[in-house]
Amino acid sequence: MYDYKWPYPLEYDKEEIINADVLVLGGGIAGCMAAIAAARAGQKVVLVEKGATKRSGAGGSGCDHWESAATNPCSKVTPEELTQAMLHDNEGFNNGISHYIECREGYDRLLDIEKMGGKIRDTEDEFVGAEFRDDETKLMFAYDYENRFTLRIWGTTFKPAMYKELKRLGVNIVNRVMVTSLLTEGGAQGARCVGATGIHTRTGKFYIFNAKASIICMSRPSRVWLFSAELPGLCEFRPPQCVGDGHAMGWRAGAEFTMMEKSVRAEFSAAGRSYPPYGAGNNHNTWYAASIIDSRGKEIPYADRDGNILTDVKDRFRPARGQKFFMKGGSIDYPKYEIEGPETLPFSKMIEQGYKLPFYADLTALPEEERRVIWGMMVGQEGKTNVPIYKNYTKEGFDPSKHVLQCYGTGWTSASFLPQERQLFGLPGGFFNDWTLSTNIQGLYVAGDALYASNCYGHAATTGYYAGRHAAKYAIVNDLIQWDTQQVEKEKARVYAPLKNEPHNSIGWKELNMAIAKTMQNYCGEVKYDDLLKIGLARLKEYEEKIIPQTFAYNPHELVRLLEVSNILTVSQIIMEASLARKISVDALCFKRGDAIEDDSSKDKLIVIRQQENEVIKREVPVDFFGDLKENYEKYNQDYIRGDRS
Amino acid sequence: MMEMPAANPIIFDKGKCIGCNRCMEICQVDIFLPNPEKGKPPIVAYPGECWYCGCCVMECPVEGAIELRHPLMNRVHWVEKKLLLEQANK
Ligand SMILES: Cc1cc2nc3c(=O)[nH]c(=O)nc-3n(C[C@H](O)[C@H](O)[C@H](O)COP(=O)(O)OP(=O)(O)OC[C@H]3O[C@@H](n4cnc5c(N)ncnc54)[C@H](O)[C@@H]3O)c2cc1C
Ligand code: SF4
Ligand code: SF4
């Protein structure tokens, strides 16, 4: 504990009330784009962000590739083809609605962001003539150079551009406020959403936001199984203040969730078990298609999906014979044959053949423009790479034409986690949505990584904008309803309770987070059993009833951290409940049961759960409940297609 | 007294920093506190919570006033390819 005085005024007893037509909760990629859309539709918009909107969120520092922009002028695939491939790749356990929106509107949003000041083309002509560049439009592509639906972009410029646009549009940006709960009509669970509450992260002041429509844009949970008390900022992949607050408050308000039983063995963090993302030797994502060599300089061959060795570097960017297109990027971990792209031969095979460890990523022998686009553009524009990787490594003498970068562990993640160390990664569960990106709660919309089976920057930007549009429509035809005073008073009592406890015998946020993570590893690890899940759930309940009342925080900053851990506790309960509800193993959900039942009628159903008066209500929905993609999209978006809105 | 942190992510050059607090205001995790002495670099109050995104450095108006440093265990190794090949041929 440091020993200086808290420098900000303490305002625990103060209250501020802010009204809006559309209230946006979270100022990351989805939140900014949602606020922009709603403001353009003429609505009075308030955006609440826990950090600093200009750079907040997973994509705040940058982003190097924008996936699935199927309507860009060079694309050879349609939005329908791409979405179908994503659905098929996950055996249907994917969000058809949100990914169709991503494919259909992605390029519109890129043009939009370009107008705001973001850089989406090689305007400086740095890569003229490169195979990945279209010299007419100056757009640059990644991965599949023939089909051209994923763009390389200068993502460090995007968030500041959005921030400028928000200000231009007169959006009321409320930074440094943590949203703590949703307000519902009459304070009833499941009733219409009429706003939210929050507390200031520096002063502790209480906020009441009253709105006609609200949009959840607070991303997805983290720190459920993984925690490091020494380096909490590095124990997960996403920013440490993004822990699933939105999920927790949504659950308390009665919102529906699906696929929350899905978790994967952790792949990515930056604490003990892994190395800095994009900063160690690998050939995925940002680093595709770097060569990989062994410690004697011998190259690991790339092969296509049929095992044919690719001798020309150019073949790493082409579909295999008879293949329409291949997919790479953030959401594709273990692709199905249909979309499987070129890959280096498997690690185990290389060891058998006598290749010597460690391996290294080698850009030295790549064509010059491939080297330059990986080191200098992708590494440089990708999140968390500009300063800590590109600038720092360069300063320390790394030269991509001479040096090779060491790989750690056995795969592209440069990490080695245990099976029970799990993460909501890839396409995890989240809020259940309809074709307007509304939740089951009236007036409550959701966008970005908070949606079930969601991932990626372009997806967040497009669903954000889409939810902003639809929330605006709702706000136009509905009145502002006053919040329930009792509900607000109860929330106030909850958030400030820890301040009353004594520091010397209380429990702090780190101790509680550590306990939750251990409980989840033990009772809800790789293989699930009803018996264990039930005891685990009872442990979590104990924490809620007996430990939360003993917690303590020194100042508003630590109070926020503590409230986050309360939310992690709620999220852990959702995950346990969802796991209990799923009685059989489902590969597509990375869900393994040690005590599976015989009846497998739920194998292609989404299990949708919500809370109602402390009961968990479940229903099953076919994975393709959203119907025909194109037809439904067009049914709900005629005004957008016509270009009605400004 | 202060407990030894597990890492020191942020290093200020006191001679260059003008104490404008822009790094502090951009940090989404809010790991800094303003220095009680005006014109001095912010205080790194919560070093363990740093996400190592680099936004504070990107925002700083003075080249070299602030540096972001990965924890020692996360510093990655590289080697000249020429050396690997020479060793292999030995
Ligand atoms: C290092 C890195 C690199 C990436 N690179 C790529 C890439 O190249 N291409 C790609 O497609 N995707 C990439 N991604 C993923 C992409 O950035 C995310 O999918 C995207 O940012 C999700 O958008 P979002 O708006 O849902 O969440 P975020 O952008 O993370 O925003 C969530 C916001 O909610 C705020 N918030 C959370 N809780 C509260 C609360 N209680 N009150 C108020 N505010 C709150 C947070 O502070 C945050 O600003 C990358 C991610 C990371 C971490
Ligand atoms: S690197 Fe990012 S998280 Fe760390 S202090 Fe700088 S802005 Fe904050
Ligand atoms: S932004 Fe730079 S100059 Fe300003 S306080 Fe931070 S380190 Fe000092």
Side-chain angles (χ1 to χ4, degrees):
Chain A
M1 187 51 202
Y2 53 84
D3 57 2
Y4 25 83
K5 207 172 142 268
W6 190 247
Y8 304 109
L10 290 177
E11 302 180 317
Y12 295 127
D13 48 352
K14 295 223 172 83
E15 183 178 286
E16 188 171 336
I17 299 166
I18 300 179
N19 290 336
D21 295 323
V22 175
L23 173 66
V24 180
L25 307 171
I29 307 310
C32 287
M33 293 306 287
I36 288 168
R40 285 180 183 169
Q43 299 300 288
K44 183 175 156 194
V45 182
V46 173
L47 180 148
V48 192
E49 161 57 38
K50 202 194 275 176
T53 304
K54 190 176 167 192
R55 286 285 184 195
S56 262
S61 59
C63 161
D64 63 359
H65 74 282
W66 179 298
E67 297 187 9
S68 309
T71 60
N72 87 74
C74 305
S75 167
K76 294 207 184 110
V77 294
T78 64
E80 292 76 33
E81 276 174 315
L82 265 190
T83 316
Q84 288 303 346
M86 291 187 222
L87 289 169
H88 175 71
D89 196 50
N90 293 278
E91 270 143 52
F93 286 95
N94 204 341
N95 198 325
I97 297 173
S98 70
H99 290 290
Y100 188 70
I101 295 168
E102 173 188 21
C103 295
R104 182 107 183 201
E105 298 187 10
Y107 190 62
D108 297 357
R109 295 292 75 77
L110 275 164
L111 293 179
D112 220 353
I113 292 167
E114 182 177 40
K115 276 206 202 103
M116 299 174 201
K119 180 167 157 147
I120 71 162
R121 302 168 211 268
D122 178 26
T123 40
E124 272 93 59
D125 295 332
E126 286 180 77
F127 295 95
V128 175
E131 221 189 318
F132 48 77
R133 184 183 193 262
D134 175 57
D135 286 338
E136 203 180 312
T137 59
K138 306 186 181 200
L139 293 173
M140 307 236 294
F141 301 93
Y143 317 132
D144 185 335
Y145 293 174
E146 280 184 10
N147 290 289
R148 304 193 156 199
F149 49 88
T150 294
L151 274 81
R152 301 187 202 254
I153 46 156
W154 288 259
T156 58
T157 63
F158 280 22
K159 204 72 200 306
M162 290 177 198
Y163 184 64
K164 213 173 75 199
E165 179 70 358
L166 287 167
K167 291 199 141 170
R168 194 186 69 81
L169 289 166
V171 170
N172 179 3
I173 303 169
V174 184
N175 282 323
R176 306 285 175 203
V177 169
M178 173 192 190
V179 181
T180 66
S181 77
L182 297 172
L183 296 173
T184 49
E185 190 172 357
Q189 206 173 33
R192 181 181 157 193
C193 180
V194 299
T197 62
I199 64 162
H200 198 278
T201 65
R202 291 177 174 178
T203 67
K205 186 162 122 186
F206 196 83
Y207 285 77
I208 300 169
F209 301 99
N210 192 193
K212 296 176 185 170
S214 305
I215 313 174
I216 297 241
C217 301
M218 291 175 273
S219 194
R220 62 166 74 142
S222 67
R223 292 198 337 238
V224 176
W225 290 267
L226 301 178
F227 189 66
S228 155
E230 294 81 19
L231 298 171
L234 281 185
C235 61
E236 280 268 7
F237 182 58
R238 297 301 179 97
Q241 86 282 5
C242 295
V243 294
D245 294 337
H247 289 53
M249 67 187 78
W251 181 252
R252 291 181 202 127
E256 284 187 327
F257 289 83
T258 192
M259 277 174 53
M260 290 301 289
E261 67 275 29
K262 179 176 175 185
S263 64
V264 299
R265 184 199 283 219
E267 296 177 357
F268 242 151
S269 81
R273 293 199 195 276
S274 60
Y275 287 81
Y278 321 109
N282 78 99
N283 63 333
H284 272 241
N285 215 297
T286 299
W287 283 77
Y288 190 80
S291 296
I292 302 288
I293 58 171
D294 83 344
S295 60
R296 292 173 308 184
K298 209 168 143 199
E299 192 168 311
I300 320 289
Y302 271 82
D304 70 10
R305 60 177 182 172
D306 299 306
N308 301 311
I309 302 294
L310 307 175
T311 44
D312 189 344
V313 172
K314 286 188 168 155
D315 289 334
R316 298 176 191 174
F317 306 101
R318 286 188 189 129
R321 197 170 306 143
Q323 185 177 36
K324 171 94 206 275
F325 59 91
F326 72 85
M327 287 173 96
K328 289 260 173 194
S331 308
I332 312 289
D333 264 2
Y334 304 99
K336 285 235 160 50
Y337 182 73
E338 285 81 351
I339 57 158
E340 188 177 352
E343 184 54 275
T344 41
L345 292 178
F347 176 81
S348 51
K349 198 162 173 181
M350 293 296 92
I351 298 298
E352 258 170 45
Q353 291 184 11
Y355 280 75
K356 292 270 180 264
L357 288 170
F359 293 171
Y360 296 86
D362 177 11
L363 305 180
T364 66
L366 286 186
E368 190 266 344
E369 68 275 10
E370 288 293 345
R371 176 166 62 243
R372 208 153 42 87
V373 83
I374 293 179
W375 187 264
M377 175 169 174
M378 303 295 271
V379 179
Q381 293 302 320
E382 175 59 310
K384 293 179 63 166
T385 67
N386 188 284
V387 170
I389 314 292
Y390 183 60
K391 290 208 175 119
N392 285 2
Y393 288 21
T394 303
K395 204 163 71 192
E396 286 151 29
F398 178 77
D399 177 348
S401 66
K402 270 200 221 138
H403 295 112
V404 293
L405 191 62
Q406 192 181 321
C407 305
Y408 300 82
T410 58
W412 59 280
T413 52
S414 271
S416 48
F417 287 89
L418 305 171
Q420 71 272 25
E421 292 176 327
R422 306 192 72 73
Q423 215 171 15
L424 299 187
F425 205 74
L427 298 164
F431 281 87
F432 190 60
N433 59 280
D434 69 10
W435 266 107
T436 63
L437 295 186
S438 170
T439 65
N440 59 310
I441 294 184
Q442 257 204 59
L444 184 66
Y445 294 77
V446 56
D449 284 352
L451 285 159
Y452 86 91
S454 284
N455 200 11
C456 292
Y457 200 104
H459 176 277
T462 49
T463 55
Y465 200 83
Y466 186 103
R469 250 163 42 215
H470 285 273
K473 272 194 237 175
Y474 181 91
I476 288 167
V477 297
N478 282 281
D479 293 330
L480 191 70
I481 295 182
Q482 174 75 17
W483 68 90
D484 180 74
T485 355
Q486 246 184 331
Q487 191 176 32
V488 165
E489 288 313 312
K490 225 173 123 188
E491 178 61 5
K492 241 188 201 170
R494 181 185 82 91
V495 300
Y496 293 135
L499 298 169
K500 301 198 176 69
N501 288 333
E502 281 291 325
H504 74 275
N505 60 1
S506 297
I507 286 177
W509 69 272
K510 290 182 181 173
E511 186 172 353
L512 182 56
N513 202 154
M514 226 155 21
I516 297 169
K518 197 161 192 174
T519 301
M520 288 302 282
Q521 288 195 16
N522 191 58
Y523 300 97
C524 191
E526 187 187 29
V527 186
K528 273 77 171 180
Y529 297 89
D530 260 6
D531 292 340
L532 276 187
L533 289 167
K534 281 180 191 152
I535 302 178
L537 206 48
R539 293 275 184 278
L540 297 178
K541 202 90 221 136
E542 244 171 68
Y543 291 158
E544 190 183 313
E545 285 163 6
K546 302 212 180 97
I547 303 301
I548 294 279
Q550 297 177 43
T551 51
F552 176 79
Y554 285 103
N555 56 45
H557 179 92
E558 290 183 25
L559 182 60
V560 162
R561 293 288 169 266
L562 180 60
L563 292 170
E564 287 170 355
V565 180
S566 294
N567 288 337
I568 294 173
L569 182 56
T570 304
V571 166
S572 303
Q573 288 166 320
I574 308 177
I575 292 170
M576 291 261 200
E577 292 288 2
S579 301
L580 273 169
R582 174 75 65 190
K583 300 291 182 202
I584 55 169
S585 300
V586 177
D587 289 347
L589 295 172
C590 308
F591 187 79
K592 253 193 230 163
R593 268 273 179 187
D595 56 356
I597 59 167
E598 296 255 312
D599 174 8
D600 71 349
S601 56
S602 66
K603 75 175 187 312
D604 41 18
K605 301 264 171 53
L606 292 169
I607 298 178
V608 178
I609 60 171
R610 73 185 160 93
Q611 200 189 36
Q612 183 72 51
E613 280 151 21
N614 288 325
E615 290 277 311
V616 176
I617 317 276
K618 305 172 197 124
R619 66 186 177 107
E620 286 185 1
V621 176
V623 288
D624 57 355
F625 73 95
F626 36 77
D628 185 83
L629 295 168
K630 186 163 188 282
E631 195 182 302
N632 280 293
Y633 172 86
E634 288 176 0
K635 185 167 134 199
Y636 287 95
N637 295 284
Q638 272 308 312
D639 47 353
Y640 179 76
I641 295 166
R642 282 196 311 264
D644 286 358
R645 22 148 308 280
S646 55
Chain B
M1 237 278 291
M2 184 176 160
E3 194 180 344
M4 181 68 77
N8 273 321
I10 302 297
I11 295 116
F12 291 108
D13 184 332
K14 291 198 184 87
K16 288 185 184 156
C17 170
I18 55 169
C20 67
N21 286 343
R22 282 172 67 170
C23 50
M24 179 183 97
E25 293 304 346
I26 203 73
C27 176
Q28 60 180 310
V29 196
D30 214 9
I31 78 162
F32 303 102
L33 290 177
N35 199 310
E37 252 185 273
K38 274 230 161 350
K40 289 270 163 65
I43 292 159
V44 186
Y46 296 100
E49 293 174 26
C50 178
W51 188 47
Y52 295 80
C53 63
C55 292
C56 48
V57 181
M58 287 158 91
E59 192 72 5
C60 176
V62 187
E63 180 67 36
I66 178 171
E67 190 195 330
L68 171 65
R69 191 173 72 181
H70 278 141
L72 184 57
M73 65 164 181
N74 275 357
R75 293 194 210 154
V76 166
H77 301 86
W78 57 79
V79 55
E80 262 190 66
K81 189 175 177 190
K82 203 171 68 190
L83 284 182
L84 285 186
L85 294 172
E86 277 168 18
Q87 272 165 11
N89 291 330
K90 256 187 212 154

